[in-house]
Every structure is written in structure tokens, then in C-alpha cells.
Amino acid sequence: MAARRATKKPNISKDELTRYYRDMLLIRRFEEKAGQLYGMGLIGGFCHLYIGQEAVVVGLEAAAEEGDKRITSYRDHGHMLACGMDPNGVMAELTGREGGYSKGKGGSMHMFSKEKHFYGGHGIVGAQVPIGAGLAFADRYKENGRVTFTYFGDGAANQGQVYETFNMAALWALPVIFVIENNQYAMGTAQQRSTSTPDLHTRGEAFGIPGEVVDGMDVLAVKEAGEKAVGHCRAGKGPYILEVKTYRYRGHSMSDPAKYRTREEVQKMREERDPIEHVRALLLDGKHASEEDLKAIDKEIKKVVNESAEFARESPEPALDELWTDIYAEAE
Ligand SMILES: Cc1ncc(C[n+]2csc(CCOP(=O)(O)OP(=O)(O)O)c2C)c(N)n1
Ligand SMILES: [Mg+2]
């Protein structure tokens, strides 16, 4: 792959850049492994990969603080890894094993972690948007200063429930950041074929919700915009919209042959805009790291990912008598 050159020298520490590199690479390698396991028949059902979109979630997690919440769609593996969930538990869930986050009974689209404040994983397009506002409502009620990151796609942004949610979130000044991950496609439909007003960051104007558009292939730009949005919410000014322009390299899900776009289009993005290559160039050009250092990180990440696959394969399938457990929440 042609290396992407760093265009400007940002005022950012070696440690921070290295962390972004590592976190994005973990998502990329994890997703590649998930794709392989799917091909081997070890993952069933749907599997939506996040490859290409890594800078969105890594940049926003860099703007989050302990106790902040996150909720997203079915394209959720990257969000889980970025908020610190265990790759072993995620991979085991993908393969339907007992060691998974939902004990192997949820799969790719249905994982949660109370500890990391990750509220799913939702297969119904847009369903997470009102739930995200509900999480923010609870925090506003408790006056605890927490913020909820509610992620959804460009396709979901055309749904009615999103606008009912915008109205209530603005009315009650809820501390929620609506993150529209605009990867330009909703399944096989390009944005210009489905969307009358393509500037999704302006969709809150009728409700008085400010919004901005962000380069989602640049983790530093995402982090900066995230900090601004978080500051707005924590100051009690209500919701904020971030339209993050990104791109998914793989099909909508593993079963998508992606005939609705050209190979050249995907290749161009990979070569010119790859978010990991961007940080790699910043590290190398800024003399923060050598090729050797980066190879060592790569090796370390591969080990974590291979171990997660190993853990998943060794974990048993759920026992039959687990079929009726975990259906209703237990009273606390
Ligand atoms: C209510 C509902 N309608 C339709 C679907 C089928 N469906 C699954 S994903 C998807 C496209 C969503 O695209 P977008 O919001 O852009 O998210 P992306 O997949 O690009 O991350 C559709 C129509 C669904 N799961 N739920
Ligand atoms: Mg989309």
C-alpha cells in the first residue's frame, strides 16, 4: 500500500499517537480475523465489519471520560474494543461460545458491558438512537456530568425515530452526542440515491441542535471535534451532532458481494485516506517511531488477536439448559 504522508505536524505526544495507532490496529486485525473465522464457518449469522472506520471510534473514545456511555448499531466490534472490552469475550461471542459477553447467546449484534458502559449492539436500524437519549436522560436526572455517545449510520439518519429523539433531547437539554457515522452507504444504497439533504450535520437545525462535519479518516480531527462536543454536553447545553465522514472497505456484512461500487473506488480510499496509514506516517515523519517499533506493535496486536481466536475456539458452546436463562433482568 502506498504510504500516506502526514501533511502537517500536529502538536501531539508520541504516547498519544502510539496509542491511537495501537487501538486502530487492534480493531483492524481483530476484524480481519473475524472475517477469516466467518469464512471457516466458525461465525454464523450476520457479521458486519468496521474496517476503514477505525478512526471514528478511537478518536471519540479519546475524548471520553470514565463513566461516559456508548451505544451503537450492529457494526459494533470496533466500539467494544475501543472502550476497553476484552477481545477474548468479543471473539467468543462472535463464535457463539460460553466465554462470550452474552454467554454465546447473542452473537455479533448483541453484546453489552455494564462495566465499560457499553449498551449494545442493536440490530434494528436506528433503535439505539432513542435508547441513547434515554441513557442521557438518566444522567441528566442524576446530574452526574456524564455524556452518552450515540452512534448511528447515514441510512439510519433518515429514520423517523431519530427526529422524535432530537426533539426530546433538545427540549430536555440531554447530554447526548449524536454521532452519525457517514460511511456513504446503507447496505447497497449510496447516500445520493437515498438522501434529499446530504449534509447530515445540519439535520438538527430544526430542533436547535448544533452540528458539525468531521473528517472521519483523521483520528486527530475526530478527537478534537469530540472534545468540543463533550464540552458542550457537560456544560449543560444539550445535545450535539457530529457527522463523521468515513468509509467502510468491506461489504455491508460478510454476505455482501458489494456490486454497487467499483473496486477502484475502494482501492482509492485505502491508498489515499487510510486512517491507520495516516497515524503511521505521523509517527514515522515525526521520528516518534521507527519501522522496527511499528513492526513490534503489529506483532503484539497479532498475538492478542490470535489469542482471542484461540480462546473462542476452546470455549464450549452454551449448554442447552442455558436456553431459558438471562431472559429477564434480575431484580437488584
Ligand atoms: C428497521 C430496520 N430496517 C431495515 C433493516 C435492514 N438494514 C440493516 S442495516 C441497513 C442499512 C443501514 O445503513 P447505515 O445506517 O448507513 O449503517 P451502516 O450499515 O452503513 O453502518 C438496513 C436497511 C433493519 N435492520 N432494521
Ligand atoms: Mg452507512
Side-chain angles (χ1 to χ4, degrees), residues 74-75 123-125 153-156 159 183 185-187 248 252:
Y74 42 83
R75 199 177 300 287
I124 303 299
V125 169
D154 46 294
Q159 260 212 358
N183 61 12
Y185 292 93
M187 297 185 81
R248 67 165 158 72
H252 168 71

Side-chain angles (χ1 to χ4, degrees), residues 1-10 12 17-18 20-21 24-25 28 52 54-56 215-223 249 269-286 288 294:
M1 182 189 293
R4 175 168 163 183
R5 307 314 296 170
T7 43
K8 57 175 183 183
K9 275 204 179 131
I12 184 159
L17 276 176
T18 310
Y20 299 152
Y21 183 73
M24 289 195 287
L25 202 60
R28 173 101 24 124
E54 298 91 346
V56 181
D215 178 358
M217 306 307 261
D218 177 345
V219 69
L220 305 180
V222 177
K223 184 203 169 209
Y249 296 171
M269 271 289 176
R270 276 181 179 274
E271 283 175 6
E272 295 176 9
R273 301 300 334 274
D274 187 75
I276 300 179
E277 282 300 313
H278 173 227
V279 174
R280 188 183 153 79
L282 289 173
L283 280 164
L284 291 173
D285 293 358
H288 294 304
L294 298 183

Side-chain angles (χ1 to χ4, degrees), residues 154 183-191 247-248 260-261 265:
D154 46 294
N183 61 12
Q184 303 174 40
Y185 292 93
M187 297 185 81
T189 307
Q191 203 201 355
Y247 196 78
R248 67 165 158 72
Y260 45 85
R261 62 184 183 186
E265 178 185 309

Side-chain angles (χ1 to χ4, degrees), residues 250-265:
R250 298 290 186 96
H252 168 71
S253 72
M254 286 300 294
S255 54
D256 171 13
K259 293 199 173 133
Y260 45 85
R261 62 184 183 186
T262 62
R263 277 171 174 270
E264 290 71 33
E265 178 185 309

Side-chain angles (χ1 to χ4, degrees), residues 191-310:
Q191 203 201 355
Q192 66 270 21
R193 295 180 57 220
S194 65
T195 303
S196 63
T197 51
D199 290 328
L200 302 177
H201 59 285
T202 65
R203 291 281 181 95
E205 277 176 5
F207 307 91
I209 306 176
E212 67 179 281
V213 64
V214 191
D215 178 358
M217 306 307 261
D218 177 345
V219 69
L220 305 180
V222 177
K223 184 203 169 209
E224 199 179 317
E227 281 174 342
K228 191 170 156 201
V230 164
H232 177 93
C233 288
R234 284 208 221 286
K237 295 182 184 165
Y240 201 92
I241 295 173
L242 290 178
E243 179 192 357
V244 192
K245 297 257 197 202
T246 182
Y247 196 78
R248 67 165 158 72
Y249 296 171
R250 298 290 186 96
H252 168 71
S253 72
M254 286 300 294
S255 54
D256 171 13
K259 293 199 173 133
Y260 45 85
R261 62 184 183 186
T262 62
R263 277 171 174 270
E264 290 71 33
E265 178 185 309
V266 183
Q267 198 52 30
K268 192 169 159 56
M269 271 289 176
R270 276 181 179 274
E271 283 175 6
E272 295 176 9
R273 301 300 334 274
D274 187 75
I276 300 179
E277 282 300 313
H278 173 227
V279 174
R280 188 183 153 79
L282 289 173
L283 280 164
L284 291 173
D285 293 358
K287 310 242 178 298
H288 294 304
S290 65
E291 291 277 0
E292 287 305 303
D293 296 333
L294 298 183
K295 265 190 201 143
I297 294 175
D298 222 336
K299 212 171 147 192
E300 204 183 292
I301 299 286
K302 271 193 189 130
K303 188 162 176 276
V304 172
V305 170
N306 286 338
E307 277 173 13
S308 75
E310 204 59 33

